[in-house]
Amino acid sequence: MSSKNARPPAPTGSGVPEHAAADSEVDAFLKRAAALAPVSGAARGRLIFALDATMSRQPTWDLACELQAGMFDAAGSVGGLAVQLVYFRGFGECQASRWVADTRALRDLMVRIDCRGGHTQIRKVLAHVRREAEKRPVAALAYVGDAMEENPDDLAALAGELGLLGVRAFMFQEGRDPAAERTFREIARLTNGAHLRFDAASAGKLSSLLAAVATYAAGGLKALRSSRVEGAQQLLAHLK
């Protein structure tokens, strides 16, 4: 897919792009997202989980969804964690769920998403995370994608702002696209996060690493160091 300079406006807090308001599937997603139980004020940490759901991910989408759903199961076992799901696909569609503590419901919401052709909208994701972090601290962003079709300097600028807000970005790259790797690594560096690559052959490690991110978001580095989650030590190695 070729790069495009023109980008649709960033999503609102509800994640509804104006031109997609009449789309029945989008409406259905928003109704399900609104029905999720909101998180209580006692949550210790907040984690935003963002997905690239464009067509290039279709060949491994079912496997990735299964593994990513495992993160929500793991997150549910970590006390005091609030999670928000964000995804983009198609022509300017970028959606966000409510913040929830019931990650089982969020898991069910995620597996209903299918892939649609379109360009990456990482800028929208980072801008959304920034807005959320300005309202209330966000511990981490876990992003899963395989491509980058935007201005890397724009993304780096937003990543720098996230770093100043204390948000660590954990950039999980599917495949070996060089443009994606360069930009994902830079976003991770600017936020003191980590860039981790996976593919169909090594996808099994994705679930454990995402579970480790959930552990970090809930309890910070101390919780990660004492965690028995399989991917905890590997994630720590990337954070040193």
Side-chain angles (χ1 to χ4, degrees):
M1 290 184 284
S2 59
S3 300
K4 297 290 183 181
N5 292 325
R7 293 181 294 269
T12 63
S14 62
V16 185
E18 291 181 1
H19 67 273
D23 186 281
S24 60
E25 186 170 343
V26 172
D27 290 342
F29 173 88
L30 294 175
K31 287 178 181 178
R32 290 192 297 267
L36 298 176
V39 68
S40 70
R44 292 195 304 269
R46 302 206 300 169
L47 166 67
I48 293 178
F49 182 61
L51 292 171
D52 174 346
T54 55
M55 195 59 72
S56 62
R57 296 201 65 210
Q58 183 64 55
T60 59
W61 184 250
D62 290 341
L63 173 62
C65 277
E66 180 181 348
L67 296 170
Q68 289 155 185
M71 186 214 71
F72 290 117
D73 291 337
S77 66
V78 178
L81 179 65
V83 183
Q84 183 183 65
L85 172 64
V86 177
Y87 76 90
F88 62 79
R89 64 180 182 178
F91 182 70
E93 181 184 347
C94 186
Q95 306 293 339
S97 75
R98 296 175 64 174
W99 286 99
V100 300
D102 181 4
T103 54
R104 293 172 300 176
L106 205 56
R107 177 188 189 278
D108 293 340
L109 191 62
M110 187 205 71
V111 297
R112 294 190 180 101
I113 300 170
D114 61 356
C115 295
R116 291 186 181 178
H119 298 293
T120 62
Q121 300 177 57
I122 303 169
R123 182 186 66 85
K124 285 187 178 182
V125 171
L126 298 181
H128 173 79
V129 176
R130 179 187 62 189
R131 288 194 298 273
E132 291 294 325
E134 287 172 344
K135 296 174 187 175
R136 183 178 171 190
V138 173
L141 161 68
Y143 176 85
V144 181
D146 67 343
M148 193 291 298
E149 302 161 313
E150 303 165 61
N151 186 319
D153 291 330
D154 289 348
L155 301 185
L158 282 167
E161 294 182 50
L162 294 184
L164 293 175
L165 289 167
V167 182
R168 290 186 191 253
F170 297 90
M171 307 296 292
F172 293 90
Q173 181 186 352
E174 180 179 6
R176 295 181 174 274
D177 181 81
E181 179 172 353
R182 286 192 298 271
T183 305
F184 288 8
R185 284 188 181 278
E186 185 64 4
I187 291 172
R189 184 187 71 82
L190 290 167
T191 62
N192 295 311
H195 165 260
L196 305 105
R197 187 190 292 115
F198 72 97
D199 54 29
S202 61
K205 70 179 182 182
L206 176 63
S207 183
S208 62
L209 286 169
L210 288 170
V213 171
T215 299
Y216 166 78
L221 289 174
K222 182 178 180 180
L224 195 59
R225 292 189 183 102
S226 60
S227 174
R228 295 184 179 180
V229 171
E230 185 178 347
Q233 295 307 311
Q234 184 179 352
L235 192 65
L236 277 170
H238 283 275
L239 294 177
K240 291 178 181 178

